[in-house]
Amino acid sequence: TKEQKEATVSQLQAQLETQNTVYVTNYSGLTVAQIQEVRKRFREAGVDYKVVKNTLLRRAMEQLGGFDDLFESLNGPTAVAITDEPAAPARVIKSYIEDTKSEKLQLKSAYVDGAVFDGAQLDALASLKSKNELIGDILGLLMSPAANVIGALQAPGTTIAGAIKQIGAGEGQ
């Protein structure tokens, strides 16, 4: 009904506003059991994955703006994965393809923080680091100079003057 379609568009709009990653997939050729397996994998990865009508998804995207580059992939059977984690959907799709040796689940396009990717870039998307991995890398880089200073100060027989001299000479690294 018209009310159901409007509710679907509103729900999609709300998700698109709050989450920065959208993957548009083609699921044609998958059996019901295979689609259920795909949904389960997405759910375990914290990704909302649903089959949508192209016109309803397009309407939600048009009302928000900024998704114009995805419109050409809104044809045929379409399911959409929406999340905050840019690499999670790509990893699910890639692992499903590898595990089943089937190319029936395909990435049509992806929208990640304003950048649009086509289906051929699945491997690149799957190799992106998660937000938590990036934060860990940054913290590691920030903590490494402090660890060098602490290590130099804790060395046996080291005085503060000797430690400063050693750090200044670059020997404490």
Side-chain angles (χ1 to χ4, degrees):
T1 65
K2 187 175 182 178
E3 291 82 21
Q4 289 173 322
K5 289 178 182 179
E6 288 174 2
T8 300
V9 169
S10 295
Q11 181 188 16
L12 286 168
Q13 261 186 301
Q15 283 186 292
L16 294 171
E17 279 181 318
T18 59
Q19 298 177 314
N20 61 357
T21 302
V22 180
Y23 279 64
V24 180
T25 65
N26 179 356
Y27 64 91
S28 71
L30 294 176
T31 65
V32 172
Q34 289 170 325
I35 292 173
Q36 288 174 341
E37 173 65 22
V38 170
R39 284 183 176 161
K40 178 183 172 212
R41 289 179 183 223
F42 275 112
R43 192 172 39 256
E44 289 171 352
V47 178
D48 185 29
Y49 185 74
K50 62 182 108 194
V51 174
V52 295
K53 289 190 174 219
N54 291 319
T55 54
L56 299 180
L57 181 58
R58 182 183 190 112
R59 192 176 305 154
M61 289 178 166
E62 283 175 341
Q63 290 175 1
L64 289 174
F67 295 95
D68 297 352
D69 292 336
L70 290 180
F71 292 163
E72 65 186 47
S73 63
L74 297 180
N75 54 47
T78 300
V80 65
I82 302 174
T83 184
D84 279 330
E85 193 59 55
R91 290 178 183 157
V92 170
I93 294 168
K94 188 173 178 183
S95 73
Y96 181 81
I97 291 170
E98 289 171 356
D99 293 347
T100 63
K101 308 287 188 263
S102 170
E103 299 272 334
K104 291 180 180 175
L105 179 63
Q106 298 172 339
L107 174 65
K108 292 182 184 182
S109 62
Y111 174 91
V112 179
D113 278 331
V116 177
F117 301 89
D118 64 16
Q121 296 171 306
L122 179 64
D123 289 337
L125 289 166
S127 67
L128 290 175
K129 289 189 175 188
S130 71
K131 187 179 356 179
N132 288 338
E133 290 170 334
L134 289 173
I135 290 171
D137 288 351
I138 292 169
L139 286 175
L141 290 171
L142 292 173
M143 294 299 292
S144 103
N148 290 340
V149 170
I150 291 170
L153 289 174
Q154 291 178 341
T158 303
T159 62
I160 292 181
I164 292 172
K165 188 186 247 184
Q166 193 176 22
I167 291 170
E171 296 172 355
Q173 299 176 13

